[in-house]
Amino acid sequence: MIELQGVSKAYRTTERATVAALHDVDLTIADGEMVAVMGPSGSGTSTLMNILSCLDVPSGGRYLLDGTDVGRMSKRRRTKFRGTKIGFVFQSFSLISDVNVRRNVELPMLYTRKRVRRARAMVALERVGLFGHHDDMPIELFEAQRQKVLIARALINDPPVLLDDEPTGDLDADSSREIMELFAQLNENGRTIVYSTHSEETAGYAHRVIRLHEGRIISDESGKHPLRKPPHLRAV
Ligand SMILES: Nc1ncnc2c1ncn2[C@@H]1O[C@H](COP(=O)(O)OP(=O)(O)OP(=O)(O)O)[C@@H](O)[C@H]1O
Ligand SMILES: [Mg+2]
């Protein structure tokens, strides 16, 4: 479970000035949820995603991940902890163009035995629907497939939570749907998914939509969208 309690984030820009990107954010995300985070550019969505992924820590408030206070950990412990709990894909991530798909997926596991790392990469590729594409080079893939390779990389350790900052930001409508169908499927299989987007259609695949404005949560709605319902409202 993800729990933010009164989380704020200020970035230091000069010696004297800071920019406040999040203010007093309270947010609980239960296991198995699929949540979209929306907001105008600059509203703090990436800042929130960075904190959720433990890449960054709050300046104020607490982040409890499965009951553990992430802000109180050493950087080293936090990195290790994150590795077991969270897979993430961020805007700045890209594929290495001169190695094949499998090697791109293996990237987070470079210090693991080759045989283990290969096997895990193959499983991760299968999980995102790219079975048989392990030998392809990135340039041979469609855009949506390339995005899926990044998702496979994030899933290589089989984390219970997947975070993605603007998964469909650079994609056309069909590719976007393909990625969101994959997210829906990964979520059906029990994974918690949190992603940010500027697109209402992309947000519609989530069963809960959180809207930020100037660093504050201004709405948090569940089960309104016809495409998805929260787990407890779904037919079994
Ligand atoms: N490293 C940083 N140093 C200083 N200011 C930052 C830093 N990162 C973000 N900010 C500022 O914090 C605010 C929130 O930024 P953030 O990147 O979270 O917005 P965003 O909602 O993700 O925007 P977009 O939709 O354009 O990606 C903005 O005012 C931004 O300029
Ligand atoms: Mg952003």
Side-chain angles (χ1 to χ4, degrees), residues 115-169:
R115 208 145 50 93
V116 174
R117 158 176 118 206
R118 278 196 181 188
R120 295 266 197 95
M122 299 305 262
V123 172
L125 281 167
E126 191 166 359
R127 213 173 265 145
V128 301
L130 287 181
F131 180 77
H133 286 280
H134 54 280
D135 272 336
D136 293 357
M137 297 301 280
I139 196 161
E140 297 176 281
L141 301 177
F142 295 115
E143 196 55 48
Q145 291 177 318
R146 279 201 282 268
Q147 191 64 31
K148 287 182 183 179
V149 176
L150 292 171
I151 296 165
R153 181 191 286 170
L155 295 179
I156 192 156
N157 286 319
D158 200 15
V161 179
L162 176 68
L163 299 169
D164 199 326
D165 195 10
E166 299 203 36
T168 64

Side-chain angles (χ1 to χ4, degrees), residues 11-13 19-21 39-48 91 166 198:
Y11 294 107
R12 182 159 293 284
T13 46
V19 174
S41 187
S43 59
T45 53
S46 293
T47 301
L48 179 63
Q91 279 166 296
E166 299 203 36
H198 288 292

Side-chain angles (χ1 to χ4, degrees), residues 58 61-73 77 81:
R62 298 206 300 170
Y63 173 18
L64 303 177
L65 180 55
D66 289 338
T68 304
D69 190 339
V70 171
R72 295 176 70 105
M73 288 181 180
R77 243 192 90 213
F81 185 68

Side-chain angles (χ1 to χ4, degrees), residues 202-232:
T202 293
Y205 284 83
H207 61 251
R208 178 174 173 195
V209 180
I210 289 165
R211 287 172 207 272
L212 290 179
H213 185 76
E214 295 181 356
R216 290 188 166 84
I217 293 181
I218 53 163
S219 82
D220 182 347
E221 294 182 326
S222 291
K224 290 227 166 166
H225 201 281
L227 283 179
R228 302 294 308 287
K229 287 200 171 82
H232 62 279

Side-chain angles (χ1 to χ4, degrees), residues 80 83 85 102 182:
K80 208 164 168 198
K85 304 269 183 195
R102 179 178 53 74
L182 169 64

